[in-house]
Amino acid sequence: MTEQLEQVATEDETSSGVPDYQISFRDCADQETAERIAPQVGAVVAAMSRYLPLGRLDGFTFANDYAAALAELDRGFGANGPLTATQEDFGVGVAMSPTVVRDGVIKTRVVMSAWFAYALIGDSEEDRGVAVHTIAHELSHVGCHLIVEAALPGVMLQPIEDGYASILYRHSNACWDEYFASRWSAPLNPTLIDGYRDTVITALERADERIRAAKDQFWSDGDLELVVDAVLSSIGSVMKFSGYLFGHADGVGVDIYDTEGRLADKLEELGLHDWFEALHERVRALFERTGQWEEFSEFFVLNDSVVEAASTYKIICRRSPETPMWVDIFE
């Protein structure tokens, strides 16, 4: 049976405005270790609660097997399938903040690799800094979810009725989520900016390779579904990691571009420089209207970025009376 130790926020923490939340350890901490980690987590929660509303924090799950913890998370509603960790050939996910429902209330659960818990009580100041920043980043997702629900009641976990918008939003929404979280957590570790730039460059290269390969295969086998999935998911990946970069850069007031020109050169090479600039402006404008959005459809402006990037590769996505999305592919 999986060992799962639980800790709960202390009375002093809850009385100071920090929400009552739970910490679970899956096969990664004995009682003594858990009792050392919990106050460290609590300190980050207390600090972030001064700036963001964290009343819907369900708690934390630290696990040796992060993928299993995600897959087995009780979300409290009929999700379409188990959660899966981010898997890219240039990196894998180690933390996620999915929505859950507890007693009819929508909340957010932070699931993380056990490494972050160990780092909080370890000897390395660098590792501890990474752990604190990552926990703050995930808590920023918690705050974002509550702000969206407060501004637009009832939209969380509801299907998007517009089929065309729904398809595109599945690939565009991570850009906003990561921008918001990265902007709020950036001051805790400003040095991450170079890594974010490198990741965007790699994501651009992988997207270009995958999209071109899928198009080549389409001309031989006519598998439209394959090429559409490759295009939308690849562009979505670029947008997601761009969200990290944009948010972090804006959060600490630095340029999104490196002084060597590597990122700018890659964007120019792919014909995406103007697209990248427009994406930055769109997601920043959404942030500047935080809590003042009037319609959920305001977030669909990022859907336009998906369509525009696809058109760069001569793949045209548009509405159609016969199907939610019509796709034309040109050589």
Side-chain angles (χ1 to χ4, degrees), residues 71-86:
E72 297 167 12
L73 177 66
D74 175 13
R75 302 192 68 189
F77 64 93
N80 292 332
L83 293 166
T84 58
T86 300

Side-chain angles (χ1 to χ4, degrees), residues 54-76:
L54 301 181
R56 299 284 185 90
L57 172 63
D58 180 58
F60 295 83
T61 298
F62 294 101
N64 265 333
D65 190 337
Y66 168 70
L70 278 180
E72 297 167 12
L73 177 66
D74 175 13
R75 302 192 68 189

Side-chain angles (χ1 to χ4, degrees), residues 22 68 86 89 119 133 141 146 152 154 177 199 203 208 241 251 253 269:
Q22 175 198 66
T86 300
D89 58 0
H133 172 266
H141 284 304
L146 196 153
L152 304 168
D177 288 343
T199 301
D208 185 67
F241 292 112
E269 174 190 332

Side-chain angles (χ1 to χ4, degrees), residues 206-215 230-231 234-235 313 315:
R206 297 295 184 271
D208 185 67
E209 292 169 2
R210 187 182 177 202
I211 292 171
R212 293 185 185 282
K215 282 189 68 177
V231 171
S234 296
I235 292 170
Y313 288 92
I315 298 171

